[in-house]
Amino acid sequence: MKFGFFLIFLLAFSTVAYAQSGRVKPEETPTPKPGFRPSVVYVPTQEKTASVPRPSPTPKKPDDPDDVITVDATLIPIPVSILDGGGHAVTNLKLSDFELQVDGKTVEIAEMSRSETPIRLAMLFDNSSSVMIARDFEKEAAIKFFRRMIRPDKDLAALYSVATVTRLEQRFTPDILSLTNAIEMFAMPVGATALLDGISLSANYLREVSGRRVIVIVSDGDDTASDTTLDEAMKDLQ
């Protein structure tokens, strides 16, 4: 936000009053004779007075610290990929075609732009006992996601398993086969869910790379074992 500043100069002109005395030069009188008492004439002093304007109070400058309003704003990029029924990218959408909700409330989308920036993605795959029932669905969804979203010539993806301990199962790779094989090789779900620990670990892992950094979570969302707090995880993400 830019501010224009205008500097106002106040010029105070003061009139200096000079006191002027009117004085009558006495006429020369002859030498008084004995017994003569001359009379004395007093001419009162006449002073001219002038009103001196008082300078107006200097206005507070707009750059005073008390007048400066500082606003912190965070622009959060949200990657979106739209595919048609045949799996092809849809590229003719407008900003008005999108709606973003946070906790069930619609929020404003500031802008939309198309980007070819390489993606650096970390997937957190919940492999705790709480997802035993949805195990097959989880695996299928994760594999389909990698196949559709990762461009082998541009993007890199990593894979974490989340249970009582969060572990990096596959380091960054453009190879979708390596990622899908790592998912297929997961042990049976067991233990608690250290999801916040996984978010913090993957955020720090992504910090080392450049590009459009993304974390994808495949989980039921419950954290039951993390040492990391929600505030700490959010700070690492930001």
Side-chain angles (χ1 to χ4, degrees):
M1 183 178 294
K2 297 182 179 179
F3 297 90
F5 295 95
F6 298 90
L7 185 61
I8 300 174
F9 294 92
L10 298 180
L11 301 181
F13 295 94
S14 60
T15 303
V16 181
Y18 293 92
Q20 298 181 350
S21 299
R23 183 176 298 171
V24 177
K25 184 177 180 181
E27 295 180 359
E28 294 182 4
T29 56
T31 302
K33 297 179 180 180
F36 177 79
R37 296 185 63 186
S39 61
V40 180
V41 179
Y42 293 94
V43 180
T45 300
Q46 297 179 353
E47 295 183 352
K48 293 183 178 180
T49 61
S51 60
V52 180
R54 296 181 179 179
S56 302
T58 303
K60 185 182 291 185
K61 295 181 180 180
D63 59 346
D64 279 355
D66 292 341
D67 288 346
V68 177
I69 300 175
T70 303
V71 178
D72 292 330
T74 302
L75 184 64
I76 303 175
I78 303 176
V80 178
S81 297
I82 309 297
L83 305 177
D84 60 19
H88 302 100
V90 179
T91 60
N92 60 347
L93 298 177
K94 305 182 294 296
L95 186 63
S96 58
D97 295 321
F98 293 86
E99 180 180 276
L100 176 62
Q101 292 191 347
V102 178
D103 294 334
K105 297 181 180 179
T106 301
V107 297
E108 180 184 358
I109 304 174
E111 61 183 29
M112 181 182 74
S113 61
R114 186 177 179 184
S115 175
E116 296 296 332
T117 305
I119 293 174
R120 301 297 180 254
L121 182 145
M123 177 179 284
L124 301 180
F125 188 96
D126 190 341
N127 200 42
S128 65
S129 57
S130 64
V131 296
M132 178 70 76
I133 297 176
R135 168 74 169 180
D136 292 339
F137 172 78
E138 246 193 350
K139 291 173 62 176
E140 181 181 348
I143 291 172
K144 185 180 294 186
F145 178 87
F146 281 135
R147 287 175 176 169
R148 285 195 173 187
M149 302 304 301
I150 299 301
R151 300 166 296 182
D153 57 332
K154 291 184 178 181
D155 304 328
L156 298 175
L159 179 66
Y160 284 83
S161 63
V162 178
T164 305
V165 176
T166 299
R167 185 168 56 194
L168 178 61
E169 302 287 354
Q170 173 61 58
R171 302 187 67 83
F172 277 131
T173 179
D175 185 13
I176 296 174
L177 183 59
S178 296
L179 294 164
T180 57
N181 285 342
I183 293 174
E184 294 290 0
M185 295 297 293
F186 278 155
M188 290 300 294
V190 66
T193 309
L195 183 57
L196 294 177
D197 285 348
I199 291 174
S200 182
L201 286 172
S202 57
N204 283 289
Y205 186 60
L206 286 167
R207 187 178 299 172
E208 305 301 322
V209 295
S210 59
R212 192 166 60 178
R213 292 171 288 187
V214 181
I215 295 177
V216 175
I217 301 173
V218 183
S219 170
D220 58 6
D222 287 335
D223 185 288
T224 58
S226 289
D227 294 323
T228 304
T229 66
L230 178 60
D231 287 343
E232 290 169 342
M234 291 302 296
K235 287 179 181 178
D236 288 337
L237 284 172
Q238 293 170 353

